[in-house]
Amino acid sequence: MGKFGIIAQHQDFVVAYKPCGVSFHSESEAGFVALLEQQLNMSLFPVHRLDKPTSGLIVLATSSEAAAALTTLFTQRQVNKFYFALVTDKPKKKQGWVKGDMAKSRRGTYKLLKSQENPAITRFYSVSVAAGVRACLMKPFSGKTHQLRVALKSLSAPILGDVNYGGKSADRVYLHAFYLAFEWSGEYLSFSAKPKEGEHFAQLVTHDIYNSWQQPEQLEW
Protein backbone atom coordinates (compact mmCIF):
# COMPACT_ATOMS: atom_id res chain seq x y z
CA MET A 1 0.00 0.00 0.00
CA GLY A 2 1.26 3.48 -0.87
CA LYS A 3 1.58 6.33 1.56
CA PHE A 4 -1.51 7.91 3.06
CA GLY A 5 -2.25 11.53 2.27
CA ILE A 6 -1.50 13.95 5.10
CA ILE A 7 -3.95 16.86 5.07
CA ALA A 8 -2.45 18.74 8.03
CA GLN A 9 0.23 18.21 10.66
CA HIS A 10 -0.18 20.14 13.91
CA GLN A 11 1.96 19.70 17.01
CA ASP A 12 -1.06 18.17 18.80
CA PHE A 13 -2.62 16.13 15.98
CA VAL A 14 -2.41 14.84 12.43
CA VAL A 15 -5.25 14.99 9.90
CA ALA A 16 -4.92 12.19 7.38
CA TYR A 17 -6.89 10.63 4.52
CA LYS A 18 -8.09 7.07 5.07
CA PRO A 19 -8.78 5.26 1.78
CA CYS A 20 -11.88 3.11 1.43
CA GLY A 21 -11.35 -0.59 2.18
CA VAL A 22 -8.69 -0.04 4.86
CA SER A 23 -9.58 -1.18 8.37
CA PHE A 24 -9.15 1.53 10.97
CA HIS A 25 -7.70 -0.79 13.63
CA SER A 26 -5.41 -3.72 12.94
CA GLU A 27 -7.20 -7.03 12.38
CA SER A 28 -5.50 -9.88 10.53
CA GLU A 29 -3.24 -7.26 8.97
CA ALA A 30 -2.00 -3.82 10.02
CA GLY A 31 -4.76 -1.23 10.11
CA PHE A 32 -4.79 2.44 9.17
CA VAL A 33 -3.52 3.72 12.53
CA ALA A 34 -0.59 1.27 12.68
CA LEU A 35 0.38 1.93 9.06
CA LEU A 36 0.24 5.70 9.55
CA GLU A 37 2.39 5.42 12.67
CA GLN A 38 4.98 3.57 10.59
CA GLN A 39 4.74 6.15 7.80
CA LEU A 40 5.23 9.12 10.15
CA ASN A 41 7.50 7.28 12.62
CA MET A 42 5.50 8.48 15.62
CA SER A 43 2.89 7.27 18.08
CA LEU A 44 -0.68 8.30 17.31
CA PHE A 45 -3.80 8.25 19.47
CA PRO A 46 -7.19 7.64 17.80
CA VAL A 47 -10.01 9.95 18.91
CA HIS A 48 -12.71 8.86 16.40
CA ARG A 49 -12.92 6.33 13.60
CA LEU A 50 -14.35 5.51 10.18
CA ASP A 51 -15.87 2.23 9.02
CA LYS A 52 -13.65 0.12 6.76
CA PRO A 53 -15.58 1.00 3.56
CA THR A 54 -15.70 4.74 4.33
CA SER A 55 -12.96 7.03 3.03
CA GLY A 56 -11.96 10.46 4.21
CA LEU A 57 -10.65 12.59 7.05
CA ILE A 58 -9.35 11.18 10.30
CA VAL A 59 -7.87 13.18 13.19
CA LEU A 60 -5.23 11.42 15.28
CA ALA A 61 -3.70 13.00 18.38
CA THR A 62 0.06 13.04 18.88
CA SER A 63 -0.09 12.82 22.70
CA SER A 64 -2.37 11.33 25.34
CA GLU A 65 -3.16 14.86 26.60
CA ALA A 66 -4.26 16.03 23.15
CA ALA A 67 -6.19 12.78 22.70
CA ALA A 68 -8.18 13.41 25.87
CA ALA A 69 -9.06 16.95 24.77
CA LEU A 70 -9.97 15.90 21.22
CA THR A 71 -12.04 12.97 22.46
CA THR A 72 -14.02 15.42 24.59
CA LEU A 73 -14.68 17.60 21.52
CA PHE A 74 -15.96 14.60 19.56
CA THR A 75 -18.10 13.17 22.36
CA GLN A 76 -19.61 16.59 23.15
CA ARG A 77 -20.47 17.12 19.46
CA GLN A 78 -18.18 20.11 19.15
CA VAL A 79 -16.65 18.84 15.91
CA ASN A 80 -18.58 19.74 12.77
CA LYS A 81 -18.45 16.74 10.42
CA PHE A 82 -19.81 16.53 6.88
CA TYR A 83 -19.98 13.54 4.56
CA PHE A 84 -20.71 12.87 0.90
CA ALA A 85 -22.79 9.86 -0.08
CA LEU A 86 -24.11 8.68 -3.44
CA VAL A 87 -27.42 6.86 -3.84
CA THR A 88 -29.22 5.41 -6.86
CA ASP A 89 -32.79 5.45 -5.54
CA LYS A 90 -34.76 8.60 -4.92
CA PRO A 91 -35.00 9.16 -1.14
CA LYS A 92 -38.45 9.55 0.42
CA LYS A 93 -37.56 13.22 0.89
CA LYS A 94 -34.89 15.29 -0.86
CA GLN A 95 -33.58 16.96 2.28
CA GLY A 96 -34.24 17.31 5.97
CA TRP A 97 -33.83 15.42 9.22
CA VAL A 98 -33.58 11.70 9.95
CA LYS A 99 -34.09 10.96 13.65
CA GLY A 100 -34.65 7.73 15.56
CA ASP A 101 -33.14 5.23 17.94
CA MET A 102 -30.90 2.58 16.38
CA ALA A 103 -30.94 -1.12 17.19
CA LYS A 104 -28.81 -4.05 16.10
CA SER A 105 -30.25 -5.95 13.18
CA ARG A 106 -28.93 -9.07 11.47
CA ARG A 107 -25.41 -9.83 10.20
CA GLY A 108 -23.75 -6.88 11.90
CA THR A 109 -26.14 -4.27 10.56
CA TYR A 110 -28.38 -1.80 12.36
CA LYS A 111 -31.89 -0.48 11.86
CA LEU A 112 -33.67 2.79 12.60
CA LEU A 113 -36.55 2.68 15.07
CA LYS A 114 -39.45 5.08 15.43
CA SER A 115 -38.64 5.64 19.13
CA GLN A 116 -36.65 8.73 20.18
CA GLU A 117 -35.08 7.81 23.54
CA ASN A 118 -31.43 8.28 22.48
CA PRO A 119 -31.82 8.99 18.79
CA ALA A 120 -29.33 9.08 15.96
CA ILE A 121 -29.78 12.52 14.39
CA THR A 122 -28.75 13.36 10.83
CA ARG A 123 -29.55 16.22 8.47
CA PHE A 124 -28.95 16.01 4.72
CA TYR A 125 -29.35 17.64 1.33
CA SER A 126 -29.57 15.66 -1.91
CA VAL A 127 -29.20 16.62 -5.57
CA SER A 128 -29.24 14.62 -8.80
CA VAL A 129 -25.73 14.58 -10.34
CA ALA A 130 -26.19 12.05 -13.17
CA ALA A 131 -28.83 9.72 -14.58
CA GLY A 132 -29.83 7.48 -11.67
CA VAL A 133 -27.28 8.96 -9.23
CA ARG A 134 -28.01 11.42 -6.41
CA ALA A 135 -25.39 13.04 -4.21
CA CYS A 136 -26.11 13.61 -0.53
CA LEU A 137 -24.34 16.07 1.76
CA MET A 138 -24.84 14.75 5.28
CA LYS A 139 -24.19 16.15 8.76
CA PRO A 140 -24.46 13.77 11.71
CA PHE A 141 -25.49 15.43 14.97
CA SER A 142 -24.76 12.24 16.92
CA GLY A 143 -22.07 9.59 16.62
CA LYS A 144 -23.74 6.20 16.26
CA THR A 145 -22.21 3.20 14.47
CA HIS A 146 -23.36 3.03 10.82
CA GLN A 147 -25.54 6.10 11.46
CA LEU A 148 -25.39 7.61 7.96
CA ARG A 149 -25.73 4.25 6.23
CA VAL A 150 -28.84 3.46 8.28
CA ALA A 151 -30.29 6.95 7.77
CA LEU A 152 -30.25 6.64 3.98
CA LYS A 153 -31.51 3.06 4.09
CA SER A 154 -34.46 4.31 6.18
CA LEU A 155 -35.30 6.74 3.36
CA SER A 156 -35.40 3.84 0.86
CA ALA A 157 -32.18 5.13 -0.70
CA PRO A 158 -29.27 2.98 0.55
CA ILE A 159 -25.76 4.12 -0.30
CA LEU A 160 -24.42 2.95 -3.65
CA GLY A 161 -22.14 -0.04 -3.07
CA ASP A 162 -23.43 -0.64 0.47
CA VAL A 163 -24.83 -4.10 -0.23
CA ASN A 164 -25.20 -4.89 3.50
CA TYR A 165 -27.90 -2.21 3.59
CA GLY A 166 -29.47 -3.00 0.25
CA GLY A 167 -27.38 -0.71 -1.94
CA LYS A 168 -26.54 -1.62 -5.54
CA SER A 169 -23.23 -3.37 -6.08
CA ALA A 170 -20.41 -0.96 -7.06
CA ASP A 171 -16.63 -0.54 -6.98
CA ARG A 172 -16.83 0.85 -3.42
CA VAL A 173 -19.26 2.00 -0.74
CA TYR A 174 -19.92 5.61 -1.72
CA LEU A 175 -19.55 7.28 1.67
CA HIS A 176 -16.78 9.82 2.26
CA ALA A 177 -15.87 11.96 5.29
CA PHE A 178 -15.29 15.19 3.45
CA TYR A 179 -15.02 18.03 5.97
CA LEU A 180 -14.06 18.48 9.64
CA ALA A 181 -13.95 21.66 11.71
CA PHE A 182 -13.39 22.41 15.39
CA GLU A 183 -11.91 24.99 17.74
CA TRP A 184 -8.44 24.27 19.05
CA SER A 185 -6.39 26.54 21.33
CA GLY A 186 -8.70 29.45 20.58
CA GLU A 187 -8.50 29.02 16.80
CA TYR A 188 -11.24 27.65 14.55
CA LEU A 189 -9.73 25.08 12.19
CA SER A 190 -11.32 23.40 9.19
CA PHE A 191 -10.07 20.63 6.91
CA SER A 192 -11.47 19.09 3.75
CA ALA A 193 -10.51 16.37 1.29
CA LYS A 194 -12.18 15.34 -1.93
CA PRO A 195 -12.84 11.62 -2.48
CA LYS A 196 -10.05 9.92 -4.41
CA GLU A 197 -11.48 6.44 -5.03
CA GLY A 198 -14.57 5.45 -6.99
CA GLU A 199 -15.62 6.16 -10.57
CA HIS A 200 -18.96 7.64 -9.49
CA PHE A 201 -17.33 10.12 -7.12
CA ALA A 202 -15.49 11.40 -10.20
CA GLN A 203 -18.93 12.43 -11.52
CA LEU A 204 -19.66 14.32 -8.31
CA VAL A 205 -16.44 16.36 -8.21
CA THR A 206 -17.01 17.67 -11.75
CA HIS A 207 -20.60 18.69 -10.97
CA ASP A 208 -21.56 22.28 -10.07
CA ILE A 209 -23.09 21.12 -6.78
CA TYR A 210 -19.67 19.95 -5.58
CA ASN A 211 -18.37 23.52 -5.69
CA SER A 212 -21.46 24.86 -3.91
CA TRP A 213 -20.89 22.35 -1.08
CA GLN A 214 -17.24 23.29 -0.47
CA GLN A 215 -18.15 25.52 2.50
CA PRO A 216 -20.76 23.28 4.11
CA GLU A 217 -20.92 25.23 7.37
CA GLN A 218 -22.36 28.20 5.48
CA LEU A 219 -25.44 26.15 4.50
CA GLU A 220 -28.48 26.02 6.73
CA TRP A 221 -28.29 23.18 9.26
Side-chain angles (χ1 to χ4, degrees), residues 85 87 89-91 93-96 124-129 134-137 152 209 213:
V87 301
D89 299 299
K90 203 167 185 178
K93 54 185 178 183
K94 288 185 179 177
Q95 63 184 59
F124 79 103
Y125 292 93
S126 75
V127 176
S128 174
V129 293
R134 289 186 81 81
C136 302
L137 176 64
L152 286 170
I209 195 66
W213 284 350

Side-chain angles (χ1 to χ4, degrees), residues 25-101:
H25 294 294
S26 299
E27 293 169 356
S28 55
E29 52 191 42
F32 175 72
V33 178
L35 292 168
L36 191 61
E37 286 182 323
Q38 290 172 18
Q39 178 179 322
L40 298 176
N41 194 27
M42 64 195 299
S43 294
L44 295 168
F45 300 78
V47 295
H48 69 131
R49 63 186 295 278
L50 291 176
D51 294 341
K52 183 174 182 176
T54 307
S55 58
L57 296 174
I58 284 282
V59 180
L60 296 138
T62 55
S63 68
S64 55
E65 295 82 10
L70 282 163
T71 298
T72 298
L73 290 183
F74 276 96
T75 54
Q76 293 184 353
R77 315 279 170 250
Q78 293 176 348
V79 179
N80 282 314
K81 298 184 283 186
F82 299 89
Y83 291 73
F84 291 139
L86 296 184
V87 301
T88 54
D89 299 299
K90 203 167 185 178
K92 290 178 188 172
K93 54 185 178 183
K94 288 185 179 177
Q95 63 184 59
W97 296 93
V98 182
K99 299 179 183 179
D101 293 327

Side-chain angles (χ1 to χ4, degrees), residues 17-211:
Y17 183 105
K18 186 189 90 66
C20 64
V22 177
S23 291
F24 186 69
H25 294 294
S26 299
E27 293 169 356
S28 55
E29 52 191 42
F32 175 72
V33 178
L35 292 168
L36 191 61
E37 286 182 323
Q38 290 172 18
Q39 178 179 322
L40 298 176
N41 194 27
M42 64 195 299
S43 294
L44 295 168
F45 300 78
V47 295
H48 69 131
R49 63 186 295 278
L50 291 176
D51 294 341
K52 183 174 182 176
T54 307
S55 58
L57 296 174
I58 284 282
V59 180
L60 296 138
T62 55
S63 68
S64 55
E65 295 82 10
L70 282 163
T71 298
T72 298
L73 290 183
F74 276 96
T75 54
Q76 293 184 353
R77 315 279 170 250
Q78 293 176 348
V79 179
N80 282 314
K81 298 184 283 186
F82 299 89
Y83 291 73
F84 291 139
L86 296 184
V87 301
T88 54
D89 299 299
K90 203 167 185 178
K92 290 178 188 172
K93 54 185 178 183
K94 288 185 179 177
Q95 63 184 59
W97 296 93
V98 182
K99 299 179 183 179
D101 293 327
M102 284 175 52
K104 285 192 173 178
S105 188
R106 55 187 191 280
R107 296 193 307 277
T109 62
Y110 292 79
K111 59 187 175 183
L112 198 71
L113 307 177
K114 289 198 164 50
S115 58
Q116 303 279 339
E117 289 174 25
N118 182 19
I121 302 171
T122 305
R123 190 162 184 196
F124 79 103
Y125 292 93
S126 75
V127 176
S128 174
V129 293
V133 179
R134 289 186 81 81
C136 302
L137 176 64
M138 309 185 74
K139 181 174 198 265
F141 287 82
S142 53
K144 314 283 187 190
T145 301
H146 292 192
Q147 175 175 329
L148 301 181
R149 299 163 70 180
V150 171
L152 286 170
K153 164 77 172 175
S154 76
L155 296 170
S156 301
I159 295 171
L160 176 59
D162 195 3
V163 293
N164 287 353
Y165 284 99
K168 287 188 179 144
S169 184
D171 57 341
R172 63 161 293 179
V173 173
Y174 277 86
L175 181 61
H176 174 75
F178 143 73
Y179 188 99
L180 276 174
F182 54 90
E183 191 169 304
W184 190 257
S185 300
E187 188 179 4
Y188 194 72
L189 306 173
S190 64
F191 309 95
S192 65
K194 76 177 182 182
K196 297 176 183 175
E197 311 96 14
E199 56 183 322
H200 295 289
F201 268 146
Q203 291 176 301
L204 170 62
V205 299
T206 59
H207 196 279
D208 290 345
I209 195 66
Y210 180 76
N211 291 327

